[in-house]
Amino acid sequence: MEDNSQEKLVYEYAVIRYVPRVEREEFVNIGLLMVCKRRKWIKAEVYLNPAKLGVFDCAHSICEIENQLSGFVNVALGVASAGPMAQLPVEERFRWLSAVKSACLSTSRPHPGLTSDPDHTFSRLFEELVK
């Protein structure tokens, strides 16, 4: 449980999804993207479970998915080699990455919350929603 005596910060998160075949509208939760604008904090983490992916008729290999995820995470983390979107402020990177798209990688709608510890909240959400 979080300490109520600490300042509560607004955060937003979106679940990163792999969509094996866009036309079937099926997906597997494979990661989490979270931002706290006030702290200028953003985090993205992914976890590919081959057993989960194996139940779908995937159009992509694990290697191809990992390659796409690498670019996604690098933009989130602001890695310079990830291109101009990676240089935007954290909240703009979050908005760009969580925008609705029809692609093999997508995200859930953003969900808000309050936390005094973004790292702890991220870890809890990652365990609940991805692993």
Side-chain angles (χ1 to χ4, degrees):
M1 178 166 266
E2 295 181 38
D3 181 2
N4 291 328
S5 65
Q6 294 182 351
E7 176 188 22
K8 294 292 186 178
L9 303 163
V10 174
Y11 70 89
E12 290 182 81
Y13 75 90
V15 178
I16 303 167
R17 299 169 169 169
Y18 170 66
V19 182
R21 299 215 179 265
V22 175
E23 64 276 8
R24 292 182 59 139
E25 298 185 12
E26 299 169 328
F27 63 84
V28 180
N29 292 348
I30 59 169
L32 188 69
L33 174 66
M34 187 170 140
V35 68
C36 179
K37 181 179 176 181
R38 185 180 296 170
R39 287 231 178 125
K40 297 181 181 353
W41 179 96
I42 191 167
K43 186 170 182 175
E45 188 173 332
V46 296
Y47 173 73
L48 284 179
N49 182 334
K52 280 186 183 179
L53 293 174
V55 301
F56 294 94
D57 179 22
C58 295
H60 309 92
S61 70
I62 295 288
C63 186
E64 290 170 322
I65 298 167
E66 287 173 338
N67 188 41
Q68 291 298 311
L69 284 170
S70 175
F72 187 100
V73 170
N74 285 342
V75 168
L77 300 179
V79 175
S81 63
M85 297 310 286
Q87 304 313 304
L88 296 173
V90 294
E91 64 274 12
E92 291 181 38
R93 281 184 263 152
F94 179 84
R95 291 281 169 253
W96 188 75
L97 290 167
S98 64
V100 175
K101 55 188 89 48
S102 179
C104 69
L105 290 184
S106 67
T107 63
S108 67
R109 289 185 342 263
H111 303 280
L114 291 172
T115 185
S116 56
D117 184 348
D119 287 303
H120 177 265
T121 299
F122 183 95
S123 295
R124 179 182 56 79
L125 289 170
F126 190 81
E127 287 297 319
E128 288 175 14
L129 303 171
V130 180
K131 288 232 171 161

